[in-house]
Amino acid sequence: MTDIPAPAIEITNLTKVYKGGKRALDNISLTIPRGQIYGLLGPNGAGKSTTINILAGLVNKTSGNARIWGFDIDQNPRNAKNSIGIVPQEIVFDPFFTPYETLENQAGYYGVPKDRRRSMELLRAVHLEDKADAYARTLSGGMKRRLLVAKAMVHSPPILVLDEPTAGVDVQLRQQLWAYVRELNAQGVTIVLTTHYLEEAEELCDRIGIINHGRVITDKPTRELIAMAQEKVVQVTVDRDIAAAPDAPCFEKVELSDPRTLTITYMKDRANAGQVLSAVQANGLSIVDVVTRDPDLEDVFLHLTAAA
Ligand code: ADP
Ligand code: MG
């Protein structure tokens, strides 16, 4: 028998009904392989934080199972907890501790012996070394979030989960955060992040799961997901004003964006750009410029969430 390592996270038929009756998760199953950067995507209220908080032991599930690094969260909660570091969506801190103390306290909580703690190293990694002794309440929002990332890593877990890590973080800090996340991933840490920014997921993630209304809509390698977008858009500028948008069988949708520009949507499995442009010319229009747009996750996302 070969010894296949357990997935980083394995969620089976997980359901959460909050007090008051809100069904936040409706029987979701997801497998997150080791070694990846995995994106859990979904609009606000989809159930992302509920999923993460169940893994973190902050929310009790109603039914179903979850395993972290092979450890069942009910049967082996201690090992499960030790295998994961979580950066929660909400920033919560004891304002009276310095960043250095915050990390030392957290290390103590996880029973990391003094000689194996790496508080300064972690502060350096998140660019907070010069704030080591500042009060946490004097940190900016972006600094606090980076401190939370360092805090999640004190026990060197093989999985790091970031729940909406870039909400309220400026572009430069976002880049620094991603650089660090990529570095951790290169060192072998499995990364899970939730976001409702599609571009972010598209840029960073090897694999993407989309949830909506507490259900899994899709779970695929990023490239496959993008390939699923069948809609293509081409913007055609012509040499004179158009009174009404022309139509053709190969157009899925056509709009007059300004008097000389047509925005035409077509399905790439049924037509190609050449046919679309010929159809424009067949209406007696001369083309002076063409801009095409590739499908991105937004198209897939809209398509899939509309169908669900
Ligand atoms: P996401 O993180 O994807 O935005 P959440 O997991 O936070 O979604 O929320 C999923 C659903 O559960 C939402 O409808 C939300 O209002 C509801 N919800 C979240 N937390 C609670 C709670 N503590 N009590 C009741 N309902 C909640
Ligand atoms: Mg959330």
Side-chain angles (χ1 to χ4, degrees):
M1 219 174 81
T2 47
D3 210 13
I4 301 164
I9 293 171
E10 197 168 17
I11 292 169
T12 316
N13 303 122
L14 197 62
T15 292
K16 172 65 187 180
V17 181
Y18 282 106
K19 265 197 213 91
K22 174 73 204 179
R23 185 173 291 263
L25 296 179
D26 190 7
N27 203 34
I28 69 161
S29 297
L30 276 176
T31 299
I32 300 178
R34 292 187 183 205
Q36 296 209 324
I37 301 186
Y38 184 95
L40 187 60
L41 236 80
N44 278 326
K48 304 181 297 293
S49 293
T50 300
T51 306
I52 301 307
N53 291 338
I54 289 172
L55 296 174
L58 299 171
V59 165
N60 290 320
K61 61 188 165 61
T62 303
S63 60
N65 297 96
R67 288 176 167 271
I68 301 171
W69 217 248
F71 301 113
D72 188 279
I73 61 169
D74 294 323
Q75 285 158 23
N76 218 329
R78 206 185 163 80
N79 284 331
K81 254 193 154 126
N82 283 336
S83 304
I84 198 165
I86 294 186
V87 184
Q89 182 172 355
E90 303 298 332
I91 297 181
V92 276
F93 273 119
D94 191 326
F96 298 105
F97 288 112
T98 67
Y100 182 80
E101 288 165 346
T102 299
L103 298 190
E104 286 291 304
N105 291 345
Q106 184 77 354
Y109 172 79
Y110 276 101
V112 181
K114 278 229 150 57
D115 61 334
R116 298 218 343 250
R117 293 187 191 172
R118 40 194 202 108
S119 301
M120 273 321 285
E121 181 192 325
L122 285 168
L123 288 175
R124 256 195 302 282
V126 297
H127 303 276
L128 282 177
E129 52 195 312
D130 56 335
K131 293 283 178 188
D133 300 320
Y135 283 113
R137 66 180 144 81
T138 67
L139 304 180
S140 70
M143 289 175 182
K144 284 179 182 155
R145 190 151 316 260
R146 283 179 286 147
L147 179 55
L148 283 177
V149 175
K151 191 178 165 193
M153 290 305 299
V154 295
H155 57 297
S156 308
I159 306 169
L160 175 65
V161 179
L162 304 117
D163 193 4
E164 305 264 359
T166 54
V169 175
D170 71 33
V171 176
Q172 195 195 349
L173 293 180
R174 183 180 296 202
Q175 291 309 325
Q176 282 177 6
L177 191 61
W178 291 149
Y180 182 52
V181 161
R182 285 202 174 99
E183 192 182 309
L184 286 173
N185 183 245
Q187 289 163 15
V189 178
T190 302
I191 308 285
V192 179
L193 61 96
T194 78
T195 180
H196 55 267
Y197 297 117
L198 306 163
E199 261 177 45
E200 198 159 272
E202 196 172 341
E203 183 193 324
L204 271 170
C205 302
D206 303 306
R207 193 179 177 89
I208 291 175
I210 299 180
I211 63 174
N212 197 21
H213 301 305
R215 294 192 180 169
V216 178
I217 294 173
T218 185
D219 174 26
K220 286 188 168 15
T222 307
R223 228 176 319 152
E224 268 181 44
L225 206 57
I226 292 169
M228 280 173 64
Q230 290 294 338
E231 286 194 353
K232 293 267 273 184
V233 176
V234 55
Q235 266 198 349
V236 181
T237 305
V238 297
D239 65 342
R240 68 192 124 92
D241 289 3
I242 313 165
D247 205 1
C250 63
F251 298 172
E252 182 71 16
K253 207 168 67 190
V254 57
E255 270 169 31
L256 208 50
S257 337
D258 67 54
R260 294 189 177 200
T261 306
L262 292 166
T263 301
I264 301 164
T265 305
Y266 64 95
M267 306 307 276
K268 71 174 184 195
D269 57 341
R270 281 194 265 123
N272 61 46
Q275 290 168 319
V276 170
L277 298 181
S278 299
V280 173
Q281 287 165 328
N283 277 276
L285 299 165
S286 292
I287 296 168
V288 295
D289 197 17
V290 176
V291 179
T292 58
R293 189 163 67 77
D294 269 336
D296 56 21
L297 272 178
E298 188 121 24
D299 301 320
V300 183
F301 190 68
L302 288 174
H303 188 73
L304 292 169
T305 51

